[in-house]
Amino acid sequence: MGSEKESFQQKNYIQKSLYYRLSQFVGFLLGARFFVAALLTFALYVSTFFLFNQEESFRKFVFDFKVHGIIFCTVLSILAGGIINQFYDFEKDHVVKPFRTRIQSFIKQKYFLYAYLVLTIISLGVASFISYRVLIFFIVYQFFMWFYSHKLSRILILNNLTFVSLTLYPFFGMMVYYETFSKKVLLMAIFLFLILLCIDIVKDTLTKSVDKAFGYITIPNYFKSKNTKIILISLLIITMAVSMKLIAKTGIIGFMSYYFTGGLFVMVICIYLLLNYSRRAKFLTLNVLRFWVFVGILAMLLNGIEGKL
């Protein structure tokens, strides 16, 4: 009987230990925004090869270790940025994202900071091997990711503009690296900037009271609901105008032309939802816009494959 009880306790201990380790692992992935980093990595590879890289063959691109190094540094920087952001937003996330903070509670905050330092050092170390310009690029990137989490995330308008700019910063770096400057690329960048800005503002409307309680001055908790609605609808109308400009003036073809044409209807749907302005309508708007960004990445991939064949 004693040995059976001991065996049961040992088995129970192992199960708890495995559960604890798994919870730690999942908590770290959530804290580092791993899934966001994975999506951005996919988007970087797609945009780099099919949009910015106009001359290199696929074989040459695969063996361009400098590009892979830059993307690797970007991924580590994004993971580090996610960790430092959750460190500063920890109290707010307890209210807004209780499940995620519960999972993250399996790891002490000091270990998140250690991971942040390790990821930052590795990223800058690899960047220094590529070139001093790449090193400076990532020093600026990581500084502003920290500064956004530390200070800018609480400042009206600057919080939204900085967040969106930091999301697009790696894509700007690739555009400069390949010297791909054109009207089409500029308009596509503006289109994406406006959609991401709308996503960030809509997201703020869903956490309006919590943001206010924790000292985050956002557009929804500074302006009246009516004014926030006007701002969002105005941004969506401008996004539609950029879409029409892309379709009519840049000679865009293939899947991307279908994407921007379909985007006009998506923007109309989002405007209709925002006129309702209920919590459910805002949540639907947020997810429709997020989904449309993902569709854009797939459209670019399919358009690029079609163009290369």
Side-chain angles (χ1 to χ4, degrees), residues 146-280:
W146 166 79
F147 194 53
Y148 165 78
S149 300
H150 176 63
K151 187 69 67 176
L152 298 179
S153 62
R154 297 173 183 268
I155 300 174
L156 179 66
I157 298 175
L158 268 179
N159 45 20
N160 301 115
L161 294 177
T162 307
F163 176 79
V164 176
S165 298
L166 286 171
T167 304
L168 295 178
Y169 186 81
F171 298 91
F172 172 75
M174 282 301 181
M175 185 177 73
V176 173
Y177 177 74
Y178 281 104
E179 297 181 354
T180 312
F181 303 101
S182 66
K183 185 178 181 180
K184 181 177 80 172
V185 172
L186 176 63
L187 287 171
M188 288 174 72
I190 293 170
F191 175 87
L192 185 56
F193 183 90
L194 289 169
I195 285 194
L196 291 175
L197 185 58
C198 289
I199 288 172
D200 203 42
I201 295 172
V202 173
K203 188 175 66 176
D204 288 340
T205 64
L206 294 168
T207 58
K208 179 180 175 180
S209 56
V210 178
D211 285 332
K212 193 170 185 178
F214 286 98
Y216 293 82
I217 306 173
T218 63
I219 287 173
N221 67 36
Y222 185 83
F223 296 103
K224 293 179 180 178
S225 295
K226 184 180 178 181
N227 292 334
T228 303
K229 188 195 299 184
I230 291 169
I231 290 168
L232 282 167
I233 291 172
S234 299
L235 287 171
L236 289 170
I237 291 170
I238 295 169
T239 307
M240 290 174 69
V242 173
S243 291
M244 289 187 282
K245 189 83 171 174
L246 270 161
I247 297 163
K249 299 294 183 182
T250 62
I252 201 165
I253 57 172
F255 287 96
M256 290 307 291
S257 65
Y258 300 139
Y259 173 73
F260 287 111
T261 303
L264 297 174
F265 297 100
V266 171
M267 297 306 122
V268 170
I269 291 168
C270 289
I271 290 170
Y272 172 77
L273 288 169
L274 287 171
L275 287 171
N276 183 337
Y277 213 63
S278 65
R279 184 174 179 82
R280 183 171 178 272

